[in-house]
Amino acid sequence: MFESLSNSFREWLIRIGVGESTAIFIESITDFILILIIAVVAYYITKTVIRAVVYRIARKTTNNWDDILVEEKVFNSISMLVPGLIVLNTINATLIEHAGIIRLAERTTLIYLAIIVVMIFFRFLNGFERIYNQRENADRHPIRSVIQVLKFFIFAFAVIFIISIFLKLSPRGIIGGLGAGSAIAMLVFKDPILGFVGGIQLSLNNMVGIGDWISVPSKGVDGDVEEIGLTTVKVRNFDKTIVSIPTYNLITDAFQNYRPMQELDVRRMKRSVNIDVSSIKFCTNEDLEKYSKIALIKDYITEKQKEIDEYNAEKEVDTTQKINGRRQTNIGVFRAYLTAYIHNHEAISKDYTRMVRQQQPTSTGVPVEVYAFIDTAVWVDYEAIQSDVFDHILAIIPFFDLRLYQFPIGYAEGN
């Protein structure tokens, strides 16, 4: 029926005065366009059927592997093969007597099918990795590197297949030629090859992207990524200078990517104050009475002293000597206050680690470190909040009869 309509259309063109060769050409192009329309319609029908059948089955089954494959759009990709297969099998029947156009259409269709096949494999491998990672021992035996290698070889074979279509050579011949010229290619195109490999690794591992804030101390890089090329990555530093570094350096050298921090909208605060060792002492009753008036640690002082008194009584400790038994210290109370302070601070995140710790004493005093995450990744706001926190800490240190260590010594007894 289709052929009869096509012949009738050609005869009509000849009757209205169109030359026979021109009529044949118009007929062929029209037939090919109709086939393209049919192929697109077939794609949407196939896609609709897959959604109606496969998606419904996936929702009803208790297994989640089929749900993952649906989420990765594996079946959608399969439906995209349909229009390519229809066009490929009808080219010779529609574009009769037009060898040049047939070859062009065949090559274009084969390239389209190759791209879709690669997409199917990539999405299936992504789904397989997600399914595997749900296993109990997936963390001990990760398969990401295996998946990446498979993706690389699939991509490489697809590229060779596409090149063979353009050059009218067999893929085997191209692979053989690549083996013979690989040594020269490695020498001549060393930087592009390394850049290409580095770019693939960066992409597959999602290590860096446009707009990410990265820091590469060894290269003087600290800013936002503006461009990722084949051989270089362009970064705009915060001092507005532009730095270009080889792409492969992001694989071989250590660098920091602050994107997770920006996505979570938090930023770590990790800063210490150095306490002068000579100002550390046991707390007297008068000290404890003074500290118990601090709202944030009132309950802590009471409960801690009760615990200490019960311990000393149980052990029959001679408390006339301060060195015996357990006692509260001013630096211990200070740490308790800082812990309560950061736990109650509105700008400090409640979802991440918050702690105050005493570090190894040094020649410059005893470091007391505040470790927490501020609820913003905006640099200016972060610095303002951090400064406010430590303004407060520096101001209340003398209340606990403690002193900051300063060099040269800025404190003398009797002052």
Side-chain angles (χ1 to χ4, degrees), residues 397-414:
I397 286 176
F399 185 84
F400 295 93
D401 301 316
L402 293 167
R403 293 189 301 273
L404 283 176
Y405 182 89
Q406 296 184 96
F407 185 82
I409 300 293
Y411 171 84
E413 291 292 342

Side-chain angles (χ1 to χ4, degrees), residues 154-165:
I154 292 170
F155 180 78
F157 282 126
V159 171
I160 291 172
F161 178 74
I162 292 172
I163 292 174
S164 70
I165 292 173

